[in-house]
Amino acid sequence: MIQIRQRSYSVDAARQLIDTGITPLFARIYAARGIGNVTQLNTSLQYLLPFTQLKNVQEMACLLADAIATQRKLLIVADYDADGATACAVGLRGLRILGAQVDFIVPNRFEYGYGLTPEIVHLAAQSTPDILITVDNGIASVEGVAEANRLGMQVLITDHHLPGDALPDALCIVNPNQPGCNFPSKNLAGVGVMFYVLLALRAELRARGAYVEQAEPNLGTLLDLVALGTVADVVKLDENNRILVQQGLQRIRSMRACCGINALLQVAGKNYAQVSSYELGFVVGPRLNAAGRLEDMSLGIACLISDDATEAAKIATQLDTLNHTRRNIEADMQQAALATLEHITPTDSCSLTLFDETWHQGVIGILASRLKDLYHRPVIAFARSLNGEIKGSGRSIPALHLRDALDLVSKRHPHLLQKFGGHAMAAGLSLREEHFDEFKIAFEAVAQSLLSPADLTRIIETDGLLAPSEFTLSIARSLEQQVWGQSFPQPFFEGEFTVASQRIVGAKHLKLKLTTSSAAYDAIHFFCADPMPACIRAVFNLAINEYNGNSNLQLIVRHWQKADI
């Protein structure tokens, strides 16, 4: 069941925003997202939270400055998703322009799994580094850090994931979510943490007199990568993250992005000048992630660190091909999952836990996400791994913190989970294949204890009705230029329309002409070819349709229900 509900907002907050010159429509939108002061909307870098508030960041900066001074060999240990890839690229680019001798290694998810494992440490040792630097991983790598210490390698951890019961014995840890860190934003992505480490390192080098006779490096050149990783990792877009993303988008729109991002946009047929957070999350991010899902993320990192436009374009084409392959695999897996669910009633349970021996380990996260959206239940999808294990990737709904739920399963059934970790909305885990059925029952029991029937009702929140005068290209363009994302959602509106005409385009989309008593609007419903009734209540967003050099307003229908007009 789906309910359409208008977001509540503070009338006083909206009024204060209007008094500063913001239009009533945008004041309502911002107030519904917790904005009460116009300074919260300022995306200038001067409003970025200072790095000094991050626990251990100045200590890590000193260690890195010492390493640069003595030319010690640094090796970045990356993660195989978009956040890990961008964090690696930011680390490599930033450390090199600050004078470090640094290379990288990224685990193949199918051979080594996630994080700084002892096996990855042994692989890293072949390069004889002095210091390992983790990006977007490491906070749970107790055994891996111990092995690195045993082999004589120091470990610096930069991460943003939630820590376990014990922290690894690393030389230094920077993570806004570690105990004792008072950094106001707990929502930095892994790439954001690495960027902050570089800010601290540059300040330390400045204090040591490194820039008395030479220009100080501009770390702002890395913000396009920071924006991509932040959006792609679906972290909460609080005020600090919105600054990072907006600054990165400005670089991309002004053609100052790295060759890799430009190439990925070009291969997808996107206009740089009109790039929004949507393109980062749903166009560039998936193509980058395709490398880690199907092959090896070193290909994606190579794209992001290349300064050769021709080389970057070649790699971007490979990533685009991988992404098409990923889509086909995903479609087959989803069809198989839906066929399995035909024999049960998903709404009879509070969770969905699925396993198929034919599923691709690199795509189960996307499958879980699709099924979560379809059934509004936490979903964990498993694929067969090595050594009798199966690996699961989960996605959750707002009412259930997935990592905490898995922690509860682990405490109630200590023998079940081999390992697990993640966030509120996404998590990964592994277990023995023979324990799947037992885990399924255990996870469902935890879900039932944490969720109410109301939690399992999908609610589509809108920003209400638009006045006829607000259906304009200028408003659509202003909306597209803003930073929207996790916990700062893109505005959707609602209204009742007569369906004047409808036809299928591209074999799978519905092209519409929607009318009211005062106007007619072009509209499209993507990936839905089912015919609509004569009258609908629609949830939509305003968009701009660029065709043959012309710009026209278009409504993108997100959901509809039959209505009586």
Side-chain angles (χ1 to χ4, degrees), residues 244-503:
L244 293 172
V245 173
Q246 185 64 51
Q247 290 291 326
L249 284 171
Q250 288 174 10
R251 293 195 66 83
I252 296 170
R253 291 166 183 162
S254 60
M255 288 293 291
R256 292 180 295 153
C258 66
C259 291
I261 289 181
N262 286 339
L264 288 166
L265 286 168
Q266 187 171 6
V267 80
K270 297 299 177 181
N271 185 339
Y272 308 119
Q274 295 171 352
V275 168
S276 69
S277 48
Y278 173 86
E279 278 74 28
L280 295 184
F282 295 97
V283 176
V284 180
R287 285 166 171 78
L288 188 58
N289 270 325
R293 293 189 186 282
L294 299 187
E295 289 193 3
D296 190 321
M297 185 47 95
S298 58
L299 184 67
I301 294 171
C303 186
L304 297 180
I305 63 175
S306 175
D307 290 320
D308 184 312
T310 301
E311 179 189 39
K314 181 179 178 181
I315 300 173
T317 300
Q318 292 177 262
L319 293 172
D320 188 57
T321 300
L322 282 174
N323 193 50
H324 282 291
T325 302
R326 186 270 305 168
R327 287 178 183 170
N328 293 333
I329 293 171
E330 177 198 338
D332 291 341
M333 288 168 57
Q334 185 166 335
Q335 186 176 359
L338 293 176
T340 299
L341 293 173
E342 285 180 358
H343 304 293
I344 64 174
T345 305
T347 52
D348 286 345
S349 62
C350 291
S351 67
L352 291 175
T353 304
L354 303 166
F355 165 60
D356 189 310
E357 62 184 25
T358 67
W359 285 350
H360 194 292
Q361 187 182 322
V363 187
I364 50 176
I366 301 176
L367 175 65
S369 181
R370 298 281 190 261
L371 294 175
K372 180 265 298 181
D373 291 342
L374 187 61
Y375 295 108
H376 197 69
R377 301 279 189 284
V379 177
I380 301 179
F382 284 89
R384 184 169 282 164
S385 182
L386 303 174
N387 304 319
E389 286 188 358
I390 56 175
K391 292 196 174 182
S393 185
R395 299 294 184 270
S396 193
I397 58 178
L400 185 134
H401 191 296
L402 190 52
R403 187 205 170 275
D404 287 354
L406 291 174
D407 187 52
L408 200 52
V409 172
S410 179
K411 286 180 169 60
R412 291 180 181 178
H413 308 273
H415 66 288
L416 275 183
L417 301 184
Q418 303 289 101
K419 62 176 69 173
F420 70 94
H423 306 286
M425 303 296 285
L429 66 155
S430 62
L431 48 92
R432 303 294 299 178
E433 187 171 332
E434 61 265 26
H435 289 156
F436 171 76
D437 290 333
E438 187 180 353
F439 170 79
K440 182 176 180 179
I441 294 169
F443 183 65
E444 172 64 17
V446 168
Q448 286 183 11
S449 70
L450 298 176
L451 294 170
S452 68
D455 294 330
L456 299 174
T457 298
R458 183 185 173 200
I459 296 173
I460 298 179
E461 291 192 310
T462 79
D463 290 283
L465 303 172
L466 286 176
S469 61
E470 293 171 333
F471 285 84
T472 67
L473 272 175
S474 61
I475 289 178
R477 187 165 282 111
S478 294
L479 287 168
E480 288 191 348
Q481 291 295 306
Q482 302 299 310
V483 173
W484 310 110
Q486 184 70 20
S487 300
F488 202 76
Q490 177 186 8
F492 290 169
F493 307 99
E494 61 179 283
E496 294 190 342
F497 301 92
T498 298
V499 181
S501 67
Q502 53 185 310
R503 59 187 175 88

Side-chain angles (χ1 to χ4, degrees), residues 71 84 102 115 122 131 133 183-184 194 239 256 278 285 309 316 361 365 367 383 386 394 492 505 510 522 538:
Q71 282 297 289
V102 58
H122 282 276
I131 299 175
I133 304 172
F183 193 70
M194 188 66 237
E239 293 169 41
R256 292 180 295 153
Y278 173 86
Q361 187 182 322
L367 175 65
L386 303 174
F492 290 169
V505 295
L510 204 58
D522 290 329

Side-chain angles (χ1 to χ4, degrees), residues 72-73 75 77 116-118 120-133 144-156 169-171:
R72 302 184 76 193
K73 290 174 63 177
L75 184 68
V77 181
L116 185 68
T117 62
I120 283 297
V121 169
H122 282 276
L123 186 64
Q126 296 176 16
S127 303
T128 63
D130 299 302
I131 299 175
L132 301 180
I133 304 172
V145 171
E147 185 64 11
N149 291 337
R150 189 185 71 81
L151 294 176
M153 293 179 286
Q154 296 176 326
V155 182
L156 306 180
D169 186 25
L171 185 63

